[in-house]
Amino acid sequence: MRNGLLIAMLVVVLLPATAQDTAFVLQKRIPASGTALAVDNLGYLYLLDETSQLKKLNPAGDSLAVFNDIKRSGRATLLDVSNPLKVLLYYRDFATIVVLDRLLGLRNTIDLRRQDIVQVSAIGQSYDNKIWLYDEYANKLKKTDEEGKLLSETADFRLLVGEAIVPQQIFEQDRQVYLYDPAKGIFVFDYYGTLKTKIPVTGWQHVKASGRYIYGTAGGKLFRYDMTTLLTREWALPPALAGSLSFTFTSSGVYVLKKEGIEIYTLR
């Protein structure tokens, strides 16, 4: 144990083959196209395409809004819809965050370079309507307001955990902040910047927190980590889902983006 850091135990529960075969129950198909998919906590869908055009659909798949101002910021590398009233698009090459309203109208553009922050690996929304970001150059987790003003920051991660990390995702759950580095795991902080624990989950893609669970995919399997019991459950992905472009998860289902559209499954 380093610096009082607790390491959460990871126990994998394997399902019988018969359960794996029937775990995914198709509920709906929605014709749509894109390269990345997100779902907010109201069930609205967001599709990002290769040109960084963003579309918002209602739960039935009807188009509601489009954001298409792609000339100034280049290609979006991250989409955060955890707050349906404030959607974030992050453009890593330009260290720029675009803030949109619920109808994808432009609210603000934050050029982090004006705050001498030039290398950010991930961003995420906070419960108090602020923005978390990980400054890769300084090795610090920072919080800014919607204008980009720095509000708080942690100590250098090389002092906190004994090494530099490169988180690809930042998300909140129950007022704790989670930083996911695919090579090193999930680092959990409280709101005062104190490191609470580390979850030994590595190599996952499409990581998403929903309720008490953290979901992800790897090696043709779907994983679900229970933050209460510290157990991980896994399911083999059906052959029909092999090669899907994107996965995302809510408490009610698994959303899969394929070339021919979106498929929504419940998970037994």
Side-chain angles (χ1 to χ4, degrees):
M1 185 167 65
R2 187 192 299 271
N3 296 332
L5 175 63
L6 299 176
I7 306 297
M9 182 180 295
L10 181 66
V11 179
V12 176
V13 178
L14 298 176
L15 292 180
T18 54
Q20 291 177 345
D21 292 341
T22 60
F24 294 81
V25 180
L26 180 63
Q27 299 296 320
K28 183 186 296 184
R29 287 190 175 97
I30 298 174
S33 62
T35 57
L37 171 68
V39 182
D40 67 25
N41 57 18
L42 300 177
Y44 291 93
L45 298 89
Y46 301 78
L47 278 168
L48 194 63
D49 69 15
E50 64 278 355
T51 69
S52 294
Q53 180 188 78
L54 179 64
K55 296 179 181 178
K56 181 178 182 178
L57 312 178
N58 68 16
D62 302 316
S63 180
L64 297 178
V66 177
F67 176 73
N68 200 30
D69 187 5
I70 60 177
K71 295 181 180 179
R72 290 182 299 174
S73 301
R75 184 171 182 177
T77 53
L78 189 148
L79 169 65
D80 188 316
V81 301
S82 53
N83 178 354
L85 302 180
K86 187 177 79 171
V87 174
L88 302 183
L89 280 171
Y90 175 56
Y91 299 80
R92 179 167 181 164
D93 290 345
F94 294 87
T96 297
I97 301 171
V98 171
V99 185
L100 307 176
D101 63 23
R102 66 182 182 88
L103 295 178
L104 305 187
L106 182 64
R107 283 176 47 167
N108 192 27
T109 300
I110 305 170
D111 185 348
L112 297 172
R113 294 168 295 187
R114 295 180 179 176
Q115 305 295 328
D116 294 323
I117 301 174
V118 297
Q119 194 168 334
V120 173
S121 62
I123 66 165
Q125 302 200 51
S126 67
Y127 85 97
D128 57 357
N129 211 32
K130 304 300 189 293
I131 300 172
W132 294 107
L133 60 89
Y134 188 81
D135 186 335
E136 192 176 344
Y137 182 80
N139 293 292
K140 294 180 179 181
L141 175 64
K142 298 181 176 181
K143 181 189 275 191
T144 72
D145 63 16
E146 197 173 304
E147 302 302 318
K149 179 181 177 182
L150 182 64
L151 302 175
S152 64
E153 63 181 25
T154 66
D156 190 314
F157 262 60
R158 291 169 293 188
L159 299 176
L160 288 175
V161 301
E163 60 183 341
I165 71 169
V166 186
Q168 301 301 301
Q169 290 179 247
I170 301 174
F171 53 89
E172 284 193 0
Q173 193 71 21
D174 297 328
R175 296 198 177 185
Q176 295 195 106
V177 187
Y178 294 73
L179 280 71
Y180 175 55
D181 181 332
K184 297 174 182 176
I186 300 175
F187 297 82
V188 186
F189 288 79
D190 65 19
Y191 254 76
Y192 302 100
T194 301
L195 188 59
K196 304 297 292 184
T197 189
K198 177 184 176 184
I199 302 171
V201 164
T202 58
W204 287 10
Q205 297 176 307
H206 312 112
V207 173
K208 173 75 180 293
S210 181
R212 59 192 262 200
Y213 299 114
I214 298 175
Y215 295 88
T217 63
K221 296 179 180 179
L222 167 66
F223 295 90
R224 187 181 71 187
Y225 175 79
D226 189 322
M227 290 182 279
T228 302
T229 66
L230 310 184
L231 298 177
T232 296
R233 199 171 178 184
E234 68 174 52
W235 295 264
L237 290 173
L241 299 187
S244 297
L245 300 173
S246 182
F247 292 81
T248 192
F249 311 91
T250 69
S251 58
S252 60
V254 179
Y255 292 72
V256 183
L257 177 61
K258 304 172 72 173
K259 290 182 179 179
E260 56 269 29
I262 301 167
E263 296 180 348
I264 305 172
Y265 295 81
T266 54
L267 189 63
R268 291 179 178 173

